[in-house]
Amino acid sequence: MKMRIVTDAAPAPMPVFSQAVRKGPLLAVSGQGGAHPTTGEFSTDIAEQTRQTLQNLRAILVAAGSSFEDVIMLRVYLTTREDFAAMNAVYTEFMAEFVPSGILPSRTTVFPALPLPQMLVEIDALAVIE
């Protein structure tokens, strides 16, 4: 059975997709940006947007009964290559805190245009929940 995952602790999705969907042990989390879940506002700082993006992902994982320990793949989308080092520094710090096993998810990073002009970063996740 396919289940939609919904939480107010992360920004509401657009009406054409879910925050996350679980089917069996697989959990696919839609791309999250750095919008604050309550205000919807974006920082103009890539480090702050990355941190908020990861916190939004974590909130959805928790709502699904999961955590970053269950994540096997992350895809990072950055609007500019110049933000890579700052994003990666926050990412590294966040993973050190929320993946205590040290077995980090696989990751892809690409540099496309993003759906909203204020978005500097977007990250999606694939997790396996046992």
Side-chain angles (χ1 to χ4, degrees), residues 1-125:
M1 182 164 92
K2 189 162 78 169
M3 296 184 316
R4 177 181 20 207
I5 307 300
V6 179
T7 179
D8 291 337
M14 298 175 96
V16 295
F17 59 87
S18 300
Q19 283 177 321
V21 173
R22 180 176 179 177
K23 184 161 183 165
L26 293 179
L27 175 67
V29 182
S30 293
Q32 296 298 303
H36 187 277
T38 306
T39 66
E41 293 183 17
F42 288 83
S43 168
T44 57
D45 178 73
I46 185 60
E48 290 176 19
Q49 271 203 36
T50 302
R51 190 169 295 105
Q52 184 63 59
T53 298
L54 291 166
Q55 289 170 347
N56 292 342
L57 279 170
R58 183 170 177 267
I60 296 168
L61 290 165
V62 168
S66 183
S67 73
F68 271 100
E69 283 288 357
D70 297 320
V71 173
I72 61 170
M73 178 68 182
L74 290 167
R75 284 177 293 240
V76 178
Y77 307 90
L78 287 171
T79 57
T80 178
R81 196 173 308 273
E82 288 75 25
D83 286 342
F84 182 82
M87 176 282 298
N88 209 43
V90 172
Y91 176 95
T92 300
E93 176 186 299
F94 197 90
M95 291 299 135
E97 181 176 354
F98 292 104
V99 185
S101 71
I103 302 171
L104 300 173
S106 58
R107 186 179 100 181
T108 299
T109 304
V110 294
F111 303 94
L114 292 174
L116 300 173
Q118 64 270 41
M119 289 178 75
L120 303 175
V121 62
E122 182 175 16
I123 305 173
D124 65 29

